[in-house]
Amino acid sequence: MATATDNIPTIDLTHFIADTPGLKDEAVKQWDLAFRKYGFCIITGHGLDGEIINSLYKKSLAFFKLPEADKMKFYLGKGYGVGGYVPRGVEMVSKSVDKGAEGQADLVENICFTMNTIPTHTDVCLDEVVPEFTESMNSYFSSIRQVAQLVMKLSALALNLDSNYFTEISEKMQYFLRLAYYPQTEITVSTEGALRYGAHTDYGGFTLLKTDDYKRLGKGHSLEVAYNDTWLPVVSPENGLILNAGDLIERWTNGVWKSATHRVVNTNLDNERLSMIFFTSPDNDLIIDALPGTYRDNTEKLYEPINAGQHLKDKLSRTTEAVKQWD
C-alpha cells in the first residue's frame, strides 16, 4: 500500500546540465530511484524556454476552439497514431492494455505530429486556420527534443552505462508530439463510465508531458499513476515537465524501471484541460533486448527480444477500430 510519504519525486536537472561535481551524481541517483519505484518523475531546470511553451499552448488552444468543420480538415480517418486530428469519440486508450475492454471512448480530442510533419489529406495549411502555428510547433518540437536527448544521457549514467551509450540510438529515435484537449464536459447517459483518458501505459520510450494542471491547484488533480494498489496524483509546477517510462523502457531495463499505468480522471470537468505530450520511441527496426548490467545470464531475462516498430504498431492499432491504418 502507498503511504502518506509516497509522492512522485521532483528532480532538478540544473546541476546535471551544468556538470556540477557531486550534485550531478545526486540527480543521477534520484533518476534511478524514481523509475525503479514509480516509473514517473517531475523535472525542473530542464532548459525548455517558457516562451516557447506558452506560444504553442496558446496556438493549440486556438486550434481546438475552431469550429469542428475546420478541425476535420486535418482528420485522416485512420484513428489515433498516424498523425493529424482525431475528434472526440474515436479513441479508447484502455484497449491498448486489454483489447477486449468494454466502455466508452475517452473524453478527449487531439492532433498529433510525427517527426515535425503535419499530415493532411487536403490542401489546407494549418497556418491558414491558426496563424504561425507551424513556427510555434517546430520551435517546441526542436527544443523538447533536446531535453529528450538529455534524458537518454541521464538514463545511461543511471543504468551504469557510458553516458554516450544511447547517442546513436537517440539520433534515429522517433518523436511524436500529441496535443490533447479535454473540453468542458457534462457526463450524460451516453458518456457514463467514460474517463477523460483511460488507464494505460505508454508504448515506447520516455514521455515528456507538459500540462496546465498547475492552474487548478487546490481544485483536485487530473493525472494519476498506479502505485501499490492505489492511485497517486501527479501535479507539476508551472516550470516542470512530467516524465514517465514507456513499455520499451521497462523491457530494455529488464524490469528494473517501471512502465506505470496512469490515467486522466474526471476531476474539474467544468474546466477545459490541455496537455502537450512528447513521445519518444526507438527506431522501428531496433530490437529491444535487456541492457548490459540488468541481468547476469539469459535465464534472468524477463522478456523476449521484441521489434520496436511491431510493438508500437500492435499497441496503436488496439486503441481504435481503424486497424487498417497500418496496411
Side-chain angles (χ1 to χ4, degrees):
M1 292 293 292
T3 69
T5 60
D6 282 312
N7 292 294
I8 301 303
T10 298
I11 303 173
D12 186 350
L13 298 187
T14 302
H15 294 295
F16 181 81
I17 293 173
D19 202 17
T20 308
L23 296 177
K24 174 183 177 180
D25 295 338
E26 183 60 27
V28 173
K29 292 177 184 177
Q30 292 175 355
W31 189 261
D32 180 44
L33 289 173
F35 287 101
R36 283 176 183 266
K37 188 172 184 179
Y38 301 107
F40 265 75
C41 74
I42 297 166
I43 62 170
T44 58
H46 42 70
L48 187 57
D49 187 270
E51 291 187 6
I52 291 176
I53 295 171
N54 290 333
S55 176
L56 182 60
Y57 180 86
K58 292 176 181 177
K59 301 294 184 186
S60 301
L61 273 183
F63 172 80
F64 289 114
K65 299 287 189 180
L66 290 171
E68 192 70 11
D70 288 340
K71 292 184 287 188
M72 289 299 289
K73 293 173 183 177
F74 302 93
Y75 179 49
L76 302 181
K78 296 183 178 181
Y80 170 65
V82 294
Y85 174 68
V86 179
R88 179 173 151 176
V90 172
E91 188 180 3
M92 185 178 171
V93 74
S94 60
K95 282 183 175 288
S96 66
V97 179
D98 178 6
K99 193 172 184 178
E102 299 291 337
Q104 301 289 340
D106 299 316
L107 305 174
V108 65
E109 58 187 277
N110 66 78
I111 187 167
C112 187
F113 309 98
T114 305
M115 298 298 289
N116 267 17
T117 61
I118 306 177
T120 176
H121 60 295
T122 74
D123 294 327
V124 180
C125 173
L126 192 49
D127 289 347
E128 293 178 25
V129 292
V130 181
E132 301 178 351
F133 187 101
T134 304
E135 180 180 352
S136 293
M137 188 274 291
N138 283 339
S139 294
Y140 187 85
F141 203 112
S142 297
S143 297
I144 201 166
R145 181 177 179 176
Q146 293 178 24
V147 180
Q149 291 172 339
L150 176 73
V151 161
M152 294 307 293
K153 180 170 288 190
L154 176 56
S155 296
L157 292 172
L159 293 165
N160 295 312
L161 301 169
D162 184 87
S163 63
N164 294 316
Y165 185 90
F166 294 113
T167 298
E168 185 175 346
I169 293 172
S170 294
E171 291 173 354
K172 299 179 181 179
M173 193 81 74
Q174 299 181 89
Y175 299 105
F176 309 88
L177 177 61
R178 177 177 180 262
L179 306 174
Y181 179 65
Y182 306 84
Q184 291 177 315
T185 302
E186 182 178 344
I187 297 297
T188 65
V189 173
S190 63
T191 56
E192 186 175 358
L195 287 176
R196 277 188 153 176
Y197 213 54
H200 65 286
T201 59
D202 288 350
Y203 316 144
F206 286 103
T207 301
L208 293 79
L209 168 65
K210 180 63 185 175
T211 78
D212 60 4
D213 291 338
Y214 65 88
K215 295 182 176 181
R216 293 174 292 278
L217 290 176
K219 297 182 180 180
H221 60 274
S222 295
L223 179 62
E224 295 182 334
V225 58
Y227 176 71
N228 283 0
D229 299 321
T230 192
W231 293 94
L232 297 179
V234 188
V235 182
S236 170
E238 183 175 2
N239 64 338
L241 290 173
I242 298 168
L243 268 287
N244 67 281
D247 297 339
L248 294 183
I249 296 295
E250 180 170 317
R251 297 181 76 106
W252 233 344
T253 62
N254 200 33
V256 174
W257 290 355
K258 296 179 180 179
S259 175
T261 300
H262 50 289
R263 65 186 184 181
V264 180
V265 294
N266 295 344
T267 308
N268 294 312
L269 284 179
D270 55 341
N271 289 293
E272 64 184 3
R273 179 178 188 263
L274 178 68
S275 291
M276 304 191 301
I277 310 113
F278 190 76
F279 297 106
T280 72
S281 190
D283 180 73
N284 282 339
D285 294 329
L286 189 66
I287 300 300
I288 302 298
D289 198 4
L291 291 165
T294 63
Y295 65 98
R296 286 173 294 187
D297 58 60
N298 286 340
T299 63
E300 293 187 346
K301 288 188 177 182
L302 300 180
Y303 306 100
E304 292 294 323
I306 191 172
N307 175 270
Q310 186 62 46
H311 169 80
L312 183 61
K313 171 183 172 180
D314 292 345
K315 285 285 190 176
L316 286 172
S317 66
R318 293 181 186 181
T319 65
T320 71
E321 296 302 318
V323 178
K324 65 181 180 180
Q325 65 183 291
W326 299 104
D327 293 346

